[in-house]
Amino acid sequence: MAYNWASEHPVGALLIGAVIVAFGVGFLANYVHRKEEVGKAAKAIIQQHAKTLRRRRDQTVFFGAYQEVNIDKWMKEKEHFYRNVLVFSLPGATDPAALLKYESDKEFEAFCFDLIEDAIRNESATADDADDIVDPIDFERWCAEQLSAQEWDARTTKGSGDQGADVIAEREGFRVVLQCKLYSKAVGNKAVQEAYAAMQFEGADLACVVTNAAYTKAARALAGQTGVLLLHRDDLLDFDEVLEERDEPDELEDPVESDDEERPVEDTTVIFAREGERVMELVSSRPRLWAFLLVEELLRSRLSSLNDEAQDIERVRNRKSRRQYDLARYLDFSGKRLARLGVQSQRAEVCVTDDIPAALGPPGTPADPVRLLRAVETLEGYCLESLDFEIELARIEPPDAFRTVHESFRGIGATAVAVFEAFANKWSEALRGVEDGSREFDVHVKFELPQLTKAADELEKVNLST
């Protein structure tokens, strides 16, 4: 028979049991207290960053190709915040073991994600009603009101010769121009160009683009070169703080090398890193017909961006306010822009007939991917110049004598994009033929704009009658 200590010493067994129970209760109480402490700390940290999290949510959640809500980037943003900000600020995070536990605890991570969503909902409820704004003019007015509330003398321009500025604000001799973009997609570099031009025209100290959405890589790169400040609409709620921090490097920007140092030749992989995974794959692995496939991919990616830019024209045209131009100013404006378009048109022709074939090289020699990229960018520049010209025309109320001339320019941007698209389609068609065994690859589209010829004819009539 086995010896039973508990039956022989019942009082001792009872005491030991009581100690074990007390220890267990104490351990559980400590665990619950510790969990509550960490939960409160997480909530406080998230609340501290609620405004930024709300802004990043707005910038990363968008509608996909099938009008479905795409939250992939927002999920990655939450994971980034959790692993790189939150866990490092929690109690005991200096202990590697505790830090590892936080990072691997999926239940706690889900708990924190719920806290993040709660904080964003609370932030949205207490924020201004910017979410309800659907009209671009109302958005411009809202932006001006936020600055006025912070003791800036801010006004909307109402299209009165502002050269691209939607809002102009001044305080203590410091002048700021704002280009306001109420978008459902990422804002491109055209807005940066408009803001920079407005700053020059107004003699302002700073130019900003303000949007409810995100910015493209091209827009961020151009902003870095021009000094234009890229803002989310929520940044206007604390505009003074933004101004104080504007000299700090943006985490989204590429590092800029000092002009005092000799810059090394940029590596091909660095140049094409901004062009997407498919382009990088073609440049690095170089399969059969890779150079032709590279041009096709670059043309298609540019075409998508150009179509987005073209959508701005109708929005500007629908504005009721226009800048009044007299005869001299209209002639000066249209003459300079037409001269630039003429140069771009000739450059595009040379690009198609000379630059691209030279970059492809004769059979048996390696193609130059960087020259092919620059050639496509030249064609894109031709389209952007045409689109920009038409957008400016849409902002103008011409003098009576030039109304027919003015109307003859209509559609010039869309025509340029259509020519670009025709070139892309013919390139793809010829490439498919080569893939199927054809020995012919002859692609040419004439980069010309019939609106220019029509406008020149109308302009001649005006000159003859005056």
Side-chain angles (χ1 to χ4, degrees):
M1 178 179 293
Y3 176 71
N4 191 328
W5 183 87
S7 62
E8 294 291 330
H9 304 83
V11 177
L14 184 62
L15 289 173
I16 292 174
V19 170
I20 292 173
V21 170
F23 177 80
V25 171
F27 178 82
L28 181 61
N30 183 64
Y31 173 79
V32 171
H33 175 73
R34 177 71 172 171
K35 189 173 182 179
E36 289 179 353
E37 180 187 3
V38 172
K40 289 180 180 178
K43 188 174 182 179
I45 296 164
I46 290 169
Q47 188 57 47
Q48 179 184 351
H49 297 278
K51 186 176 295 183
T52 301
L53 286 166
R54 175 177 181 263
R55 181 166 64 244
R56 292 299 295 150
R57 192 275 312 273
D58 291 348
Q59 292 173 334
T60 53
V61 175
F62 60 93
F63 286 101
Y66 305 100
Q67 295 304 302
E68 79 283 9
V69 178
N70 190 315
I71 61 171
D72 292 348
K73 290 185 177 180
W74 170 232
M75 292 303 297
K76 290 181 179 178
E77 183 71 24
K78 285 198 293 187
E79 290 174 4
H80 171 80
F81 174 77
Y82 178 79
R83 301 190 183 286
N84 296 279
V85 179
L86 181 59
V87 297
F88 283 97
S89 304
L90 291 173
T94 53
D95 179 7
L99 186 61
L100 184 61
K101 185 180 185 305
Y102 288 141
E103 291 179 341
S104 60
D105 190 339
K106 292 299 180 182
E107 184 179 346
F108 181 67
E109 181 181 55
F111 168 74
C112 290
F113 282 4
D114 288 342
L115 289 179
I116 289 173
E117 296 297 341
D118 289 342
I120 289 174
R121 278 192 290 271
N122 293 334
E123 181 67 25
S124 299
T126 57
D128 209 308
D129 58 354
D131 284 327
D132 298 330
I133 297 176
V134 295
D135 182 77
I137 303 299
D138 290 340
F139 183 58
E140 293 171 11
R141 189 179 300 112
W142 181 88
C143 291
E145 289 172 355
Q146 306 317 305
L147 296 186
S148 296
Q150 298 170 67
E151 299 183 353
W152 285 82
D153 180 13
R155 60 180 175 85
T156 57
T157 60
K158 298 182 175 60
S160 56
D162 55 278
Q163 291 295 317
D166 294 320
V167 175
I168 299 175
E170 293 183 77
R171 191 175 68 186
E172 298 178 358
F174 190 85
R175 175 174 263 205
V176 179
V177 295
L178 303 183
Q179 178 66 217
C180 307
K181 295 293 185 183
L182 186 66
Y183 272 19
S184 60
K185 60 182 185 299
V187 176
N189 57 10
K190 180 176 290 296
V192 180
Q193 295 169 354
E194 292 174 349
Y196 184 73
M199 181 178 69
Q200 304 296 320
F201 183 80
E202 295 290 343
D205 302 286
L206 178 66
C208 306
V209 181
V210 184
T211 184
N212 59 310
Y215 293 95
T216 64
K217 291 181 179 178
R220 293 198 298 268
L222 184 59
Q225 295 173 6
T226 58
V228 173
L229 200 59
L230 302 184
L231 305 176
H232 185 267
R233 67 182 184 204
D234 290 351
D235 290 325
L236 290 187
L237 303 177
D238 299 294
F239 190 58
D240 290 343
E241 291 183 17
V242 172
L243 291 184
E244 292 176 2
E245 298 171 357
R246 72 184 189 275
D247 293 328
E248 297 179 6
D250 191 330
E251 61 176 296
L252 297 175
E253 299 292 340
D254 295 329
V256 179
E257 299 175 5
S258 171
D259 292 334
D260 299 332
E261 300 176 3
E262 184 178 354
R263 298 183 181 181
V265 177
E266 195 170 14
D267 184 69
T268 303
T269 56
V270 175
I271 296 174
F272 286 95
R274 313 179 187 98
E275 301 297 330
E277 293 181 5
R278 174 60 175 160
V279 169
M280 281 294 295
E281 180 185 351
L282 290 170
V283 173
S284 58
S285 61
R286 303 199 175 190
R288 178 177 176 269
L289 299 176
W290 70 270
F292 295 89
L293 291 167
L294 173 63
V295 174
E296 179 183 45
E297 188 68 23
L298 292 172
L299 288 171
R300 290 299 171 191
S301 66
R302 267 31 183 211
L303 181 60
S304 175
S305 176
L306 288 170
N307 283 325
D308 287 343
E309 297 281 353
Q311 293 179 8
D312 285 346
I313 297 175
E314 201 59 34
R315 182 182 71 83
V316 174
R317 187 177 284 123
N318 288 334
R319 286 188 175 186
K320 295 180 180 179
S321 58
R322 297 285 188 276
R323 307 172 193 157
Q324 297 289 337
Y325 275 25
D326 57 23
L327 287 173
R329 188 177 184 187
Y330 188 84
L331 282 173
D332 179 66
F333 160 76
S334 58
K336 289 179 180 178
R337 296 306 297 265
L338 288 174
R340 283 163 54 179
L341 262 179
V343 172
Q344 286 277 13
S345 178
Q346 294 174 6
R347 187 70 191 87
E349 285 291 321
V350 173
C351 178
V352 171
T353 58
D354 298 342
D355 294 356
I356 292 180
L360 291 171
T365 61
D368 186 336
V370 176
R371 288 184 66 185
L372 290 173
L373 173 63
R374 301 300 179 232
V376 173
E377 287 176 340
T378 297
L379 298 180
E380 180 190 27
Y382 162 76
C383 294
L384 289 174
E385 184 69 39
S386 303
L387 288 167
D388 188 55
F389 180 41
E390 188 167 6
I391 287 177
E392 286 300 308
L393 288 169
R395 296 176 182 269
I396 291 172
E397 186 68 30
D400 290 339
F402 284 88
R403 290 191 180 281
T404 305
V405 176
H406 189 81
E407 188 61 28
S408 65
F409 286 125
R410 192 182 185 96
I412 194 169
T415 300
V417 175
V419 174
F420 187 97
E421 184 172 12
F423 180 72
N425 290 338
K426 288 190 175 184
W427 187 277
S428 295
E429 182 181 350
L431 180 53
R432 299 291 87 80
V434 173
E435 289 176 332
D436 292 337
S438 174
R439 295 181 179 274
E440 297 284 334
F441 192 91
D442 184 17
V443 178
H444 182 71
V445 173
K446 196 164 184 63
F447 281 78
E448 59 183 8
L449 301 170
Q451 288 88 350
L452 296 183
T453 303
K454 184 178 179 181
D457 292 341
E458 294 297 335
L459 188 59
E460 186 175 350
K461 295 176 185 177
V462 172
N463 289 336
L464 289 175
S465 62
T466 55

